[in-house]
Amino acid sequence: MAHAAPSARARYAAELKHTSKAALALPLVLGLIYGVYAAFMKRQMGPVDAGNVFYGILCGALFAACLIALARFGPRLPREARAAAYGIFAALAMGYLYSLTDHTVLLSSGIALAVGAGVAIVAFYRYYTREP
């Protein structure tokens, strides 16, 4: 009796089961950049104190943890949900950073919505054209 070859979707999911150590470097570097920028925006030209440093570390760690979780659990989601997850994450991250500049909540929400929609559209296009 002949055996059937595994489907392309099963092979693709098996390849992405484990996240490599090198794949974790990018979220950690992006988290560091996000944390430094958030601490800089929170400082608002005042002196650097322990609160600003802790705030930057906390923001960067949360950002990196969310990116690592998306990288780890994202391949298990359908492409539409994964693109939406990356769009929501980008919207939240950008909206929060923009809210630190003392602009209105409505403007921060609008910027976040625009960035999130753009990231979701680009992510969906990438997943739709590159996945089996």
Side-chain angles (χ1 to χ4, degrees):
M1 184 160 120
H3 295 283
S7 67
R9 180 78 179 154
R11 280 194 316 256
Y12 183 76
E15 291 173 5
L16 297 177
K17 188 180 280 189
H18 299 288
T19 306
S20 67
K21 303 263 188 243
L24 296 178
L26 181 64
L28 292 176
V29 169
L30 289 175
L32 176 68
I33 293 169
Y34 187 87
V36 168
Y37 190 74
F40 176 75
M41 294 301 293
K42 184 77 170 166
R43 185 172 65 97
Q44 297 200 359
M45 304 307 290
V48 176
D49 57 357
N52 291 78
V53 173
F54 179 71
Y55 183 77
I57 291 171
L58 181 66
C59 285
L62 286 174
F63 185 88
C66 288
L67 267 182
I68 290 170
L70 276 175
R72 179 77 176 146
F73 299 114
R76 298 178 187 164
L77 296 173
R79 61 178 76 122
E80 296 86 5
R82 188 173 359 158
Y86 276 102
I88 290 169
F89 175 70
L92 290 173
M94 185 63 202
Y96 181 68
L97 278 183
Y98 199 77
S99 72
L100 291 176
T101 62
D102 291 333
H103 286 256
T104 64
V105 174
L106 185 62
L107 185 60
S108 297
S109 300
I111 295 289
L113 183 64
V115 168
V119 168
I121 289 169
V122 169
F124 178 75
Y125 177 76
R126 181 191 181 275
Y127 297 138
Y128 189 75
T129 58
R130 304 239 169 118
E131 284 184 0

